[in-house]
Amino acid sequence: MALRFIGIDPDTDEQNCPRVWVDDEKKELVFQGWKAGEELEGEVRSTGPLPDYEAVVRIPARMVQILREACDAIEHPDVIR
């Protein structure tokens, strides 16, 4: 796996916080975030099933720039960042 770290929550404590990576081989975004509570998972399930092998995580809006950077990195892997 070619996991490339993109960024961390800018309001972080540097330990337990949302992070974003890009898997260059699989062309996937990888997220570490806060686990969704039962209420949010219920809302998600109202739009379709949530299989046991999937999870709902929360990522704060303040990470939008990091998410954009991750999207750019996966769409244009040849551009050096």
Side-chain angles (χ1 to χ4, degrees), residues 1-73:
M1 180 186 310
L3 204 58
R4 180 166 31 128
F5 178 71
I6 300 297
I8 190 170
D9 181 348
D11 289 354
T12 182
D13 63 5
E14 295 290 329
Q15 292 182 10
N16 302 312
C17 53
R19 301 168 200 258
V20 179
W21 298 265
V22 168
D23 183 327
D24 289 316
E25 289 178 7
K26 293 184 178 181
K27 304 296 183 216
E28 296 175 342
L29 301 174
V30 179
F31 300 101
Q32 172 186 336
W34 300 299
K35 290 182 180 180
E38 289 182 28
E39 184 177 342
L40 179 58
E41 283 192 1
E43 288 184 48
V44 169
R45 284 189 174 94
S46 74
T47 64
L50 181 59
D52 289 340
Y53 56 87
E54 293 183 358
V56 177
V57 298
R58 299 180 78 106
I59 302 291
R62 63 183 170 260
M63 292 183 69
V64 166
Q65 185 56 42
I66 294 167
L67 297 173
R68 284 187 183 121
E69 190 176 328
C71 290
D72 289 344

